[in-house]
Amino acid sequence: MSMSKTYHPLVKGLLDGERSLADLPPELRAEAEEAERLLGAVDRTPVSLSPALDARVMAAVRRRAASPVRRAWRRLVEPREFELRLRIRPWIAWGGALAVAAATALVVLGRPSVIPAGGPTPVRRTAARSVRPRAPVSELK
């Protein structure tokens, strides 16, 4: 038998103790008997570990948790909960909101997006060809 075999749900109910062998249809009884035979061969004695093993494992866990590097890393990366409480007067909140609204209005309405008709016409200036002033021709000789 393969280790990946799955049993019919009614056979699983038998193995769980929800049904009896007589409750199963005849075509599933052979499968149920095989499953019961395999379960009967399983060693069901309780497993107990030695106290020395438990002590060694716990000592290793405590040693690792006590490491200063690990504590510092944990302090950096672990999420923390904190509560922030603010007490502000209502008039301060309304004043702040009005100041933000006024600043927004100045930014939006303070700068016209088009030049009004009849206003100054923008002039484009060209840059000089040289930064140095020209020397008179008499000085060049």
Side-chain angles (χ1 to χ4, degrees), residues 7-55:
Y7 292 107
H8 191 276
L10 294 175
V11 174
K12 288 180 182 179
L14 170 77
L15 297 175
D16 291 339
E18 298 170 356
R19 305 182 183 286
S20 69
L21 191 58
D23 293 338
L24 293 177
E27 62 270 7
L28 292 177
R29 286 191 184 155
E31 184 179 342
E33 288 171 354
E34 177 192 6
E36 282 184 330
R37 184 177 43 80
L38 286 173
L39 274 180
V42 173
D43 182 15
R44 295 181 182 241
T45 58
V47 175
S48 62
L49 301 175
S50 73
L53 174 66
D54 189 28

Side-chain angles (χ1 to χ4, degrees), residues 1-98:
M1 180 179 142
S2 164
M3 293 294 288
S4 63
K5 180 176 180 180
T6 58
Y7 292 107
H8 191 276
L10 294 175
V11 174
K12 288 180 182 179
L14 170 77
L15 297 175
D16 291 339
E18 298 170 356
R19 305 182 183 286
S20 69
L21 191 58
D23 293 338
L24 293 177
E27 62 270 7
L28 292 177
R29 286 191 184 155
E31 184 179 342
E33 288 171 354
E34 177 192 6
E36 282 184 330
R37 184 177 43 80
L38 286 173
L39 274 180
V42 173
D43 182 15
R44 295 181 182 241
T45 58
V47 175
S48 62
L49 301 175
S50 73
L53 174 66
D54 189 28
R56 284 196 319 261
V57 169
M58 290 310 295
V61 168
R62 286 185 192 103
R63 189 173 48 251
R64 188 170 181 183
S67 164
V69 173
R70 181 153 314 269
R71 278 196 319 257
W73 179 252
R74 205 174 335 142
R75 191 174 274 171
L76 284 173
V77 298
E78 281 185 355
R80 289 184 206 87
E81 288 186 29
F82 66 93
E83 186 175 329
L84 179 64
R85 292 183 182 191
L86 296 175
R87 285 185 148 187
I88 56 173
R89 305 273 181 217
W91 59 270
I92 292 175
W94 284 107
L98 287 174

